[in-house]
């Protein structure tokens, strides 16, 4: 029988997080293996290949900061990088750092089991691969476990069905076809204009109207790019200490300090700049005060009226059931404009709900919509879904859902009591998903690497988050969220898009800058909140750590 390989660390996932984690641990002298379900690197960008897929973060910020030579060489062409560009970026980084040999691709992990006596994890995959490791680091993404709604009759549909979250590698023939699109979140908003260009007819099935912000996408000015590149290190340095991982100025004034005319001017200017400039650039109180929020919400609704020709369609597209910004704001190009095309129509599922999928199409309460293709852009089981699907079993065989009956409880979003030597990059309670994610990922990866080096230097074999530390952190995550309007919406931030999921705020929205300082403080203090086991455990306990 073949011997089971054993590593210091197994990293699950080969997106931004997995690539950098494997690299850092390898550089720190750990024996590390990366496992990835996809056939190559890319993570979410490997799977989300739908037409129109591109990042909402701007190109110069959506990259690693630890490759100063490479960032000078990499070509920046468009304001927002497309999915093929990001994939090619990650592939090039992986090749350049000679990381491909450290990964096993096509390896979907289905079981991660802790063995207390040996203090090791056993990781198994769908295809029968098995390995053990002292540490497991999940780099599985916060928005990667697709949510495909169970709609009665879906299996009877005679046409083709696709999910934006796992789009085929070959182009999908859509020319002239009758296409139905379910979902108008970020993915639906991006795919719709592309579907409409090709298809004979597109019917959009909208459950909740969105406040879509224009990306104002386009080519980058080469002179601007040269300027950025000349100042890249300084930009990177400032970026690290921003709340959202992007160095744009924060608003300085409350909506109440301005006249109606001035408020409109602020919104117009932010809208003109587009993307994050609108999301984070209007008023200090846009997501904390309902009246200030209404200024922004009314502005977007007025824009919908301006853009959409048919008043009835415009009316259906206007969000009214939650404050602006409390569901992740989709950033789009020509989303509202697409409804002016003669081949696009909107079905408001609040008024006319889906009853079933039939052999011919989608049957709503009022009619049957005949379709040849159905596209699901129905989102993800955010932050916890990809973790729970790994089949993790910690001390005593407990699963993550066992440990989290009332929602996830983590220390710094990175560690879970009862799951020693497991680290969760961009896990629940981390700010990753509400930031420009690569910046948060770099912070997580570097912090985890330093913690593992700290433990190794002291002969510690297990590192486990203490119960009270996780309780306190998770309470803090909720407290920070409760000072905003975010918890009032039925969003994936709240787990509200998944039936039965506990309703708690999942990411940390205290800001990446604040979070970084807190993590740095924990490291500087010798990692309070963790307990260590091994050779120097007594010394560590004297220094105020717990014992396992
Ligand atoms: P999403 O924002 O959760 O949107 C899912 C959509 O599907 C919503 O409109 C939702 O309606 C609808 N839906 C779900 N189940 C349904 C059902 N049973 N019947 C009818 N409609 C249903 O998912 P997403 O668009 O994939 O985006 C998720 C996140 O991924 C984004 O918020 C963003 O953070 C990230 N993302 C980023 C980019 C980018 O950077 N450009 C692109 C794509 C995604 P309700 O609103 O009523 O639930």
């Amino acid at each position: 029988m073949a011997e089971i390989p054993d590593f210091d660390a197994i990293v699950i996932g080969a997106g931004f997080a997995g690539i950098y984690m494997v690299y850092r641990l390898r550089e720190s002298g750990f024996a590390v293996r990366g496992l990835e379900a996809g056939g190559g690197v890319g993570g979410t960008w490997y799977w989300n290949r739908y037409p129109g897929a591109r990042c909402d973060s701007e190109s110069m910020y959506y990259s690693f900061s630890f490759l100063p030579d490479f960032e000078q060489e990499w070509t920046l062409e468009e304001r927002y990088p497309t999915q093929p560009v990001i994939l090619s970026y990650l592939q090039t980084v992986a090749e350049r750092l000679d990381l491909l040999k450290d990964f096993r691709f096509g390896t979907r992990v289905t079981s991660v089991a802790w063995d207390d006596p040996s203090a090791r994890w056993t990781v198994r995959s769908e295809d029968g691969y098995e390995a053990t490791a002292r540490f497991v680091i999940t780099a599985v993404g916060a928005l990667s476990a697709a949510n495909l709604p169970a709609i009665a009759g879906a299996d009877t549909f005679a046409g083709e069905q696709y999910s934006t979250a796992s789009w085929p590698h070959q182009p999908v023939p859509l020319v002239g076809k009758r296409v139905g699109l379910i979902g108008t979140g970020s993915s639906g908003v991006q795919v719709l204009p592309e579907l409409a260009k090709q298809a004979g007819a597109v019917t959009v099935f909208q459950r909740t109207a969105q406040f879509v912000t224009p990306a104002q996408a386009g080519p980058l000015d080469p002179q601007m790019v040269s300027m950025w590149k000349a100042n890249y290190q300084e930009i990177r340095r400032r970026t690290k200490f921003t709340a959202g991982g992007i160095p744009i100025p924060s608003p300085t004034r409350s909506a109440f300090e301005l006249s109606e005319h001035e408020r409109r001017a602020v919104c117009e200017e932010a809208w003109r700049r587009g993307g994050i400039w609108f999301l984070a650039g209007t008023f200090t109180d846009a997501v904390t005060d309902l009246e200030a929020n209404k200024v922004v919400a009314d502005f977007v609704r007025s824009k919908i009226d301006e853009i959409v020709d048919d008043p009835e369609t415009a009316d259906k597209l206007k969000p009214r059931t939650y404050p602006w910004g409390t569901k992740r704001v989709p950033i789009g190009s020509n989303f509202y404009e697409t409804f002016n095309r003669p081949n696009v129509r909107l079905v408001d599922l609040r008024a006319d709900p889906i009853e079933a999928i039939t052999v011919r199409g989608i049957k709503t309460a009022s009619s049957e919509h005949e379709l040849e293709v159905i596209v699901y852009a129905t989102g993800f089981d955010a932050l916890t879904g990809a973790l729970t699907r790994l089949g993790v079993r910690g001390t005593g065989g407990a699963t993550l859902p066992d440990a989290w009956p009332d929602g996830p409880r983590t220390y710094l979003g990175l560690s879970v009591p009862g799951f020693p030597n497991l680290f969760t990059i961009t896990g629940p309670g981390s700010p990753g998903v509400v930031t420009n994610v690569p910046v948060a990922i770099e912070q997580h990866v570097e912090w985890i690497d330093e913690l593992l080096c700290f433990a190794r230097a002291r002969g510690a074999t297990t590192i486990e988050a203490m119960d009270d530390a996780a309780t306190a952190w998770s309470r803090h995550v909720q407290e920070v969220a409760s000072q905003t309007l975010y918890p009032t919406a039925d969003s994936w931030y709240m787990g509200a898009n998944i039936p039965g999921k506990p309703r708690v705020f999942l990411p940390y929205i205290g800001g990446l800058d604040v979070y970084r300082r807190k993590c740095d403080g924990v490291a500087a203090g010798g990692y309070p909140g963790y307990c260590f086991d091994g050779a120097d455990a007594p010394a560590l306990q004297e220094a105020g750590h717990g014992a396992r």
Side-chain angles (χ1 to χ4, degrees):
M1 217 171 80
E3 206 171 305
I4 297 171
D6 180 54
F7 301 95
D8 293 326
I10 287 177
V11 175
I12 307 172
F16 273 91
I19 286 175
Y20 189 33
M21 193 77 247
V22 168
Y23 175 67
R24 274 297 287 232
L25 292 178
R26 197 185 69 184
E27 293 304 291
S28 293
F30 291 102
V32 55
R33 163 67 73 187
L35 302 177
E36 164 58 54
V41 298
T44 195
W45 300 107
Y46 177 88
W47 301 103
N48 285 253
R49 306 173 171 248
Y50 57 85
R54 65 170 74 220
C55 186
D56 286 350
S57 291
E58 300 186 22
S59 295
M60 52 285 184
Y61 310 125
Y62 199 73
S63 55
F64 288 122
S65 74
F66 70 95
L67 297 166
D69 294 341
F70 181 55
E71 76 192 4
Q72 293 297 326
E73 289 165 35
W74 187 248
T75 314
L76 300 173
E77 282 177 350
E78 292 194 65
R79 179 173 176 186
Y80 301 97
T82 61
Q83 176 271 339
V85 165
I86 302 168
L87 202 57
S88 149
Y89 171 82
L90 290 172
Q91 176 71 22
T92 310
V93 169
E95 285 171 10
R96 203 174 160 112
L97 301 177
D98 194 21
L99 283 169
L100 295 175
K101 66 173 179 14
D102 297 321
F103 278 93
R104 186 176 192 270
F105 295 101
T107 308
R108 183 173 292 284
V109 171
T110 49
S111 159
V112 181
W114 175 251
D115 176 55
D116 221 31
S118 65
R120 298 192 99 71
W121 290 99
T122 300
V123 178
R124 296 188 180 89
S125 75
E126 213 170 51
D127 71 336
Y129 178 77
E130 185 174 337
T132 56
R134 175 76 70 208
F135 298 102
V136 168
I137 298 124
T138 64
V140 290
L143 293 157
S144 52
N147 167 44
L148 283 178
I151 302 176
D155 54 341
T156 66
F157 179 57
E160 291 153 45
Q161 305 188 64
Y162 300 99
S163 161
T164 49
S166 56
W167 197 262
H169 286 219
Q170 304 310 321
V172 174
L174 295 166
V175 175
K177 294 201 171 160
R178 278 166 292 147
V179 178
L181 169 65
I182 306 178
T184 53
S186 297
S187 306
V189 161
Q190 286 190 331
V191 79
L192 171 65
E194 300 303 316
L195 296 178
K197 279 183 211 161
Q198 298 178 43
V202 182
T203 308
V204 180
F205 296 88
Q206 171 193 271
R207 188 165 69 180
T208 309
Q210 295 272 6
F211 292 100
V212 181
T213 290
Q216 312 295 18
L220 286 169
D221 171 1
Q223 271 190 325
M224 279 298 278
V225 173
S226 304
M227 213 179 69
W228 269 311
K229 287 194 171 178
N231 295 295
Y232 232 145
Q233 288 311 299
E234 173 55 18
I235 294 171
R236 299 287 198 193
R237 195 192 59 73
R238 280 197 289 130
T239 301
K240 276 189 168 188
F241 292 94
T242 56
I246 294 196
I248 63 161
S250 300
T252 52
R253 288 188 295 180
S254 149
F256 304 112
E257 293 173 46
L258 303 168
S259 68
E260 208 179 311
H261 176 74
E262 288 168 326
R263 291 171 180 178
R264 179 88 198 175
V266 167
C267 290
E268 282 288 2
E269 175 56 13
W271 187 266
R272 186 192 65 74
R273 301 190 88 163
I276 185 74
W277 294 84
F278 190 79
L279 262 57
T282 55
F283 312 111
T284 51
D285 40 7
V287 286
T288 53
D289 182 282
L290 206 47
E291 280 307 302
N293 186 281
K294 192 167 171 301
V295 173
V296 185
D298 284 345
F299 175 83
V300 180
R301 287 188 282 258
S302 76
K303 284 292 179 192
I304 297 171
D305 273 334
E306 267 176 36
I307 299 167
V308 180
D309 295 339
D310 173 40
E312 208 182 306
T313 304
D315 199 57
K316 288 184 201 165
L317 285 168
K318 284 186 210 160
R320 294 195 180 84
T321 53
Y322 59 97
W324 172 84
T326 54
K327 277 165 87 83
R328 159 65 150 81
V329 174
I331 295 181
S333 292
N334 294 321
F335 174 71
Y336 292 126
E337 289 83 349
T338 297
F339 289 92
N340 294 335
R341 293 179 65 114
N343 67 336
V344 176
R345 56 186 293 243
L346 180 64
V347 175
D348 173 10
L349 297 180
R350 302 266 166 175
D352 190 10
I354 294 177
E355 289 185 341
I357 293 178
T358 66
V359 68
R360 283 177 300 275
I362 294 181
K363 163 98 184 64
T364 60
S366 76
S367 48
E368 186 172 27
H369 304 266
E370 291 200 14
L371 302 167
E372 290 155 289
V373 177
I374 298 175
V375 174
Y376 296 84
T378 44
F380 300 91
D381 184 352
L383 283 98
T384 56
L387 291 174
T388 55
R389 289 179 197 187
L390 292 175
V392 184
R393 289 189 175 271
T395 315
T399 64
L400 287 170
D402 291 339
W404 291 343
D406 305 317
R409 205 167 54 93
T410 67
Y411 185 36
L412 302 171
L414 299 172
S415 306
V416 188
F419 296 80
N421 292 2
L422 176 77
F423 296 93
T424 53
I425 301 174
T426 66
S430 127
V433 78
V434 286
T435 69
N436 173 34
V437 192
V439 184
I441 283 172
E442 287 190 345
Q443 185 276 343
H444 291 356
V445 165
E446 288 160 15
W447 197 86
I448 292 168
D449 174 44
E450 282 160 23
L451 171 54
L452 265 52
C453 291
F454 173 92
R456 180 177 57 187
R458 284 151 186 82
T461 49
T462 60
I463 310 168
E464 185 175 351
M466 290 157 79
D467 219 46
D468 51 355
T471 301
W473 179 255
S474 303
R475 194 183 301 128
H476 175 62
V477 170
Q478 299 311 310
E479 275 165 7
V480 174
S482 70
Q483 290 158 18
T484 71
L485 300 168
Y486 282 98
T488 61
D490 287 336
S491 64
W492 60 252
Y493 293 137
M494 293 295 295
N497 63 329
I498 303 296
K501 193 164 171 172
R503 199 186 161 103
V504 297
F505 196 79
L506 293 165
Y508 177 63
I509 50 161
L512 180 58
D513 47 349
V514 173
Y515 175 82
R516 183 186 299 276
R517 278 194 280 272
K518 285 180 187 290
C519 288
D520 287 350
V522 171
Y527 301 98
Y530 281 102
C531 57
F532 296 83
D533 197 2
D536 277 359
L540 287 166
Q541 283 160 38
E542 266 172 41
H545 296 88
R548 286 192 73 239

